[in-house]
Amino acid sequence: MKKKKCIAMLLAGGQGSRLGSLTKQIAKPAVSFGGKYRIIDFSLSNCATSHIDTVGVLTQYRPMMLNAYIGNGASWDLDGPDGGVFILPPYETEKGGNWYKGTADAIYRNLDFIKANDPEYVLIISGDHIYNMDYRRMLNTHTGHKADLTISVMPVPIEEASRFGIITANETKRIEKFTEKPKNPDSNLASMGIYIFSTDVLIDALERDAENPDSKHDFGMNVIPMLLGEGKRLFAHKFKGYWKDVGTIQSYYDTNMEFLDDENPAKIYKKYEKLVMTNNVQSPAKYIGESAKIENALVSNGCIVLGTVKHSILSPGCYVGKGAVVEDSILLPGAKVKDGAKVIKTIMGEGSVVETGASIGTGAEIETIGDNAKVTAKGAR
């Protein structure tokens, strides 16, 4: 196998329990986003545009949909003869097997994949962030500092800093302190969960962490503090672009809705049009009926709109019937709002249905309907 300069390990196995009913049947990275995309499209596209052609995708929770969606990586130009996308689920050995215990354990249990590719550097990323990033710039930061580990960071509002791993760095960007989700953060420089390791450092750290019975086998809680305590060369790479973690219902809803803002610099169908690739199923053109009214909305191919849609996102294959109203809502693929129904500030899961004359949502809070669920005039079922 040809030696690689850098390969990527994409953590895509999380249950995403904070997304509630949206992830009861599929893994979080496979959740639809922004009409035509799925969340994992952004990380895979970043790898492709950064010329990182070997990507290990670590799956775990309900992987069937995600595995089928990724396929051989051709949709992201990641199916070249010297690389490709490789699905890496948990597996049994002669000593038994179990689920990944943490982010570090997931990579540790796939060290054979890393060693087989023999890269100089390993990029570790997540499959549940919305962003556009050229990882080559981060790699330049890493090699320029002769770093053991480089962490991509960005400033966040200080009131939100306790949700992240918080970094303190000196004037040379060398990391002096790292605290995972501190109650009283002393900095607003947050880790984005994007790491570049020199391979020998990564292998040694993971092998030692695996032998520690007191470790939770997590990069933020264990591996990074360990390396920092040993005086390893850890540096921060400051990212200045758009990045959002869509791990909660509120952040998922808000981030989708930002793409309906005319002034938003992260608008997918302008800025990201040529940068985000997808394995979106081919659909016929959308149909807008004679009596339809559409205002400030994303309407994907395969949709049929006969009613009113305002400030909403319709994923491929959605249906809005005659006299139906959809406002401030997100309809995931195949969702149907039948004649006379009303949907307000609601995220409808894939294949879900709001039956004729039924309604959901008041606009006060975000409502959600799980995949293939139905809402009748008598309530959800």
Side-chain angles (χ1 to χ4, degrees), residues 172-190:
T172 69
K173 306 300 184 204
R174 184 161 183 170
I175 297 172
E176 297 179 331
K177 182 179 178 183
F178 180 94
T179 311
E180 182 71 5
K181 299 179 180 178
K183 291 183 179 180
N184 299 299
D186 55 8
S187 166
N188 72 333
L189 204 58

Side-chain angles (χ1 to χ4, degrees), residues 12-236:
Q15 178 178 353
S17 58
R18 293 181 298 167
L19 284 179
S21 60
L22 300 182
T23 52
K24 283 187 176 179
Q25 297 184 34
I26 62 175
K28 179 167 59 172
V31 172
S32 178
F33 178 87
K36 68 176 290 185
Y37 302 101
R38 293 188 183 273
I39 295 172
I40 199 170
D41 285 337
F42 293 83
S43 294
L44 289 175
S45 297
N46 288 340
C47 288
T49 56
S50 301
H51 297 172
I52 296 175
D53 64 2
T54 301
V55 183
V57 180
L58 285 67
T59 62
Q60 179 163 276
Y61 174 78
R62 290 192 176 274
M64 186 179 72
M65 166 81 177
L66 189 62
N67 294 354
Y69 181 74
I70 294 172
N72 67 352
S75 296
W76 301 271
D77 289 335
L78 292 171
D79 60 336
D82 294 324
V85 175
F86 300 84
I87 304 298
L88 303 173
Y91 59 90
E92 287 197 14
T93 67
E94 67 278 1
K95 297 181 181 179
N98 49 41
W99 294 119
Y100 295 140
K101 299 173 185 177
T103 54
D105 178 62
I107 303 298
Y108 168 73
R109 289 167 62 187
N110 287 283
L111 283 182
D112 285 347
F113 175 80
I114 294 174
K115 292 176 181 178
N117 283 280
D118 192 24
E120 294 180 59
Y121 310 102
V122 178
L123 167 71
I124 298 174
I125 54 179
S126 172
D128 53 8
H129 296 156
I130 305 300
Y131 68 119
N132 172 246
M133 182 176 183
D134 188 338
Y135 300 128
R136 290 172 296 183
R137 295 179 180 177
M138 183 176 173
L139 185 55
N140 287 339
T141 297
H142 183 84
T143 57
H145 286 297
K146 297 181 180 179
D148 295 310
L149 165 62
T150 299
I151 302 174
S152 186
V153 301
M154 67 182 302
V156 297
I158 193 66
E159 60 271 17
E160 296 181 17
S162 59
R163 294 174 46 217
F164 300 91
I166 294 300
I167 284 170
T168 302
N170 64 22
E171 63 278 1
T172 69
K173 306 300 184 204
R174 184 161 183 170
I175 297 172
E176 297 179 331
K177 182 179 178 183
F178 180 94
T179 311
E180 182 71 5
K181 299 179 180 178
K183 291 183 179 180
N184 299 299
D186 55 8
S187 166
N188 72 333
L189 204 58
S191 167
M192 297 165 63
I194 301 171
Y195 314 124
I196 291 180
F197 280 88
S198 294
T199 303
D200 56 343
V201 174
L202 175 66
I203 292 173
D204 175 69
L206 292 181
E207 289 178 342
R208 288 188 289 124
D209 176 75
E211 295 174 355
N212 182 358
D214 298 323
S215 175
K216 295 185 180 296
H217 310 295
D218 181 84
F219 280 109
M221 286 188 283
N222 306 110
V223 174
I224 295 173
M226 177 181 73
L227 294 177
L228 197 58
E230 294 171 350
K232 297 292 188 183
R233 294 178 60 81
L234 277 62
F235 285 83

Side-chain angles (χ1 to χ4, degrees), residues 320-337:
V320 179
K322 291 182 179 179
V325 175
V326 175
E327 292 184 8
D328 300 323
S329 295
I330 304 166
L331 276 56
L332 302 192
K336 292 179 173 59
V337 182

